[in-house]
Structures are given as structure tokens and as C-alpha cells.
Amino acid sequence: MSVYKKTSPYFSTPTVNGYLDLLEYRPIPAFPSDVKHQIDLVHQYRPDLLSSDLYGTPDLWWVFAVRNVNVIRDPIFDFRAGVTIFIPNIDTINQALGI
């Protein structure tokens, strides 16, 4: 059983001798309901703010990187104004994370 919340990027990451092992993200599948979105200056380098605006919590900031792995390799510094990403709706996220 994980000590992390289901919304945490570390939820599925195993521990070794009480320490986190290599990060294991849970997949966020692509759905037709995903919205294409261009990151604006307000959210540049701040996926937590976009997560808060869209989902009501900053905890899901990592979902954008997982869903857009071909565009965002660094979840903070690749989150730049002008970059176009796909944004999953909250139902997709809840289903994928088991919330």
C-alpha cells in the first residue's frame, strides 16, 4: 500500500529500504474528449497553476507531462508559452488514477 495520495506522481513508485525507487508514472490514456491547448504566459513553467485552474487542485500538475510525453520531457521547463498539449478531462484522469 502506498503512503502517497492517488493524485501523487509517486503513488505507484516502489520503495526500497524506505526510500523511493525510480519514478513510475501511471499512464494517462488518450481519449477523443482530450482538448488541444496552447500554453499561455500565465501558465508558463507552472503546470501546477493550470492544474489548479482546470481541475481545482495543483496536485495533478504531472498529468500534462505524462499525457504529452512526446512534447514535454521536463514537466516544468518544457511547459512554455506557445507549446501545444493535449489536456485530458477530469473523468479520464479519475478513471486512470482510480479516484
Side-chain angles (χ1 to χ4, degrees), residues 16-92:
V16 177
N17 298 325
Y19 297 97
L20 280 173
D21 201 0
L22 295 175
L23 178 62
E24 288 185 17
Y25 282 121
R26 289 169 285 165
I28 305 295
F31 274 89
S33 59
D34 291 353
V35 175
K36 210 173 196 181
H37 174 79
Q38 189 174 55
I39 300 169
D40 56 22
L41 276 173
V42 173
H43 297 116
Q44 179 166 271
Y45 308 128
R46 297 298 306 268
D48 59 325
L49 292 181
L50 183 58
S51 171
S52 206
D53 289 348
L54 294 175
Y55 306 129
T57 179
D59 295 345
L60 297 171
W61 62 269
W62 58 275
V63 167
F64 305 123
V66 172
R67 173 59 184 85
N68 297 279
V69 71
N70 293 332
V71 178
I72 300 175
R73 294 198 186 271
D74 182 305
I76 305 300
F77 293 108
D78 287 344
F79 208 81
R80 295 183 317 274
V83 172
T84 300
I85 61 173
F86 286 99
I87 296 181
N89 70 35
I90 193 66
D91 294 330
T92 301

